[in-house]
Amino acid sequence: MKKSLKKSIGIVLAALVAVGGLLAGGSFYMLSYVLRPDAVMAEKNASSYEYMYAEYPFLAEWADSLRSSGALRDTVIVGDGGERLHAVYAAAPEPTDRTAVIVHGYTDNAVRMLMIGYLYNHDLGCNILLPDLHYHGESEGRAIRMGWKDRLDVLRWMDVANGLFGGRTRMVVHGISMGAATTMMVSGEPQRPYVKCFVEDCGYTSVWDEFRKELREQFSLPAFPLLYTASWLCDLKYGWSFREASALRQVAKCELPMLFIHGDADDFVPTRMVYPLYEAKPGEKELWVVPGAAHAMSYRDNRAEYTRRVAEFVGRYVGDGSAQPVRTD
């Protein structure tokens, strides 16, 4: 009887160890898969300008002119872990205090947000600054941070932009996808007087919600137990958890106006996520659900309407730039 009991206990313990090992291995794999997709990022970095000129042909003349004249400049700050963080910036065609800080998406970089840079700089006559988030583009770092710790870096970049463009700017922060989630995460923090409004385009409610959705759709797996253990491991390794990285909680603390944009054909960050975000935001806000737009494609597929809506919303808070008329040529 005792031998049988010991054998049963041994089998159970061995099974638990095996399950624990599989779970730990799966958690490490998930973190590497989503937070350090190095091959994807290297390919994107190497082809950024080529990709952007193919997707947005009107960018080439403007961006090449800025680059060749030295008007598109580089700047760096040092992150909280001593890493070098990079951004590009350009002054408006005519002197102005109207300034946009523009935040890119997951595995992208500053160059891959130049279409929004074009909107603000070329069309609306604003100064622009586009950071490479931690571990993206030319910025160093240990892993992608999905906007959560990035919010603190973006607050610093906002200060940098304010200083670069005269010290008394009127600023909008505009992000797409992970950059939109970052923007909403930024919006819940105490703001400097120069910050006037935010634009978020297809951001997720939280990292937990987005990863749970991807785990189900890509791997047909439930959240429990893998998402829980991966979140715990992320906290242990990188100092943040999936649940705390909530745009929904942050936007509920936002006291400044925000424009919400989301394509109604978005199946990567599902369109349904924009509604609780919009409802959670107190005070002044607008929502534009873009017919037929897939994820992060609202500007590409509706350029004139996107520009008009952004110009009207942002113009109410940072000024309409009457000396610099809206251009969409």
Side-chain angles (χ1 to χ4, degrees), residues 62 66 69-73 88-100 117 120-122 125-130 161 164-166:
W62 169 77
L66 289 180
S69 67
L72 188 64
R73 301 181 179 182
V88 296
Y89 68 97
E94 300 293 335
T96 182
D97 60 357
R98 301 166 66 246
T99 298
Y120 281 101
N121 187 261
H122 177 275
C126 297
N127 310 305
I128 56 172
L129 183 141
L130 302 91
L164 285 170
F165 301 122

Side-chain angles (χ1 to χ4, degrees), residues 31-298:
L31 279 195
S32 177
Y33 181 80
V34 298
L35 301 185
R36 293 178 60 94
D38 293 344
V40 171
M41 296 176 77
E43 183 178 349
K44 283 189 169 186
N45 289 343
S47 62
S48 291
Y49 278 104
E50 292 86 349
Y51 170 82
M52 293 302 290
Y53 292 175
E55 287 288 299
Y56 307 93
F58 57 88
L59 284 182
E61 182 179 357
W62 169 77
D64 286 346
S65 175
L66 289 180
R67 294 167 73 192
S68 63
S69 67
L72 188 64
R73 301 181 179 182
D74 300 280
T75 187
V76 297
I77 59 174
V78 178
D80 55 11
E83 66 277 14
R84 175 186 180 274
L85 301 177
H86 168 264
V88 296
Y89 68 97
E94 300 293 335
T96 182
D97 60 357
R98 301 166 66 246
T99 298
V101 172
I102 300 164
V103 190
H104 67 75
Y106 177 73
T107 71
D108 280 338
N109 54 51
V111 172
R112 287 177 176 250
M113 279 291 279
L114 281 176
M115 72 288 194
I116 305 301
Y118 180 95
L119 185 161
Y120 281 101
N121 187 261
H122 177 275
D123 293 343
L124 305 187
C126 297
N127 310 305
I128 56 172
L129 183 141
L130 302 91
D132 284 325
L133 297 181
H134 187 96
Y135 201 67
H136 290 79
E138 295 184 37
S139 287
E140 298 173 344
R142 298 176 61 203
I144 296 173
R145 305 197 292 190
M146 300 303 297
W148 182 237
K149 287 197 167 185
D150 299 304
R151 81 193 191 283
L152 304 178
D153 294 334
V154 172
L155 286 167
R156 290 185 62 200
W157 281 122
M158 291 155 67
D159 262 340
V160 169
N162 184 59
L164 285 170
F165 301 122
R168 299 183 66 182
T169 63
R170 291 172 291 161
M171 184 177 294
V172 55
V173 182
H174 186 137
I176 292 182
S177 190
M178 187 184 79
T182 307
T183 297
M184 288 186 282
M185 291 169 183
V186 166
S187 78
E189 300 298 319
Q191 300 298 321
R192 301 293 291 273
Y194 56 75
V195 187
K196 303 304 180 184
C197 63
F198 300 94
V199 179
E200 79 84 22
D201 180 344
C202 65
Y204 40 78
T205 48
S206 70
V207 173
W208 180 273
D209 292 344
E210 183 63 19
F211 283 179
R212 178 174 59 185
K213 173 255 179 192
E214 287 296 297
L215 196 60
R216 181 178 65 250
E217 291 186 358
Q218 288 197 44
F219 303 100
S220 300
L221 291 173
F224 184 82
L226 184 59
L227 199 59
Y228 290 79
T229 56
S231 179
W232 173 82
L233 184 61
C234 185
D235 196 10
L236 187 68
K237 190 170 184 179
Y238 299 122
W240 63 277
S241 69
F242 300 163
R243 283 195 184 277
E244 72 178 301
S246 173
L248 187 61
R249 282 197 297 269
Q250 287 291 101
V251 83
K253 298 186 288 182
C254 176
E255 298 178 353
L256 295 173
M258 183 174 292
L259 172 60
F260 296 80
I261 301 171
H262 216 111
D264 74 356
D266 192 338
D267 58 5
F268 184 68
V269 176
T271 310
R272 58 181 162 76
M273 286 191 178
V274 76
Y275 299 109
L277 289 164
Y278 180 75
E279 290 301 319
K281 164 73 176 77
E284 297 176 74
K285 57 189 175 182
E286 283 188 19
L287 171 62
W288 178 33
V289 177
V290 186
H295 182 66
M297 292 299 169
S298 293

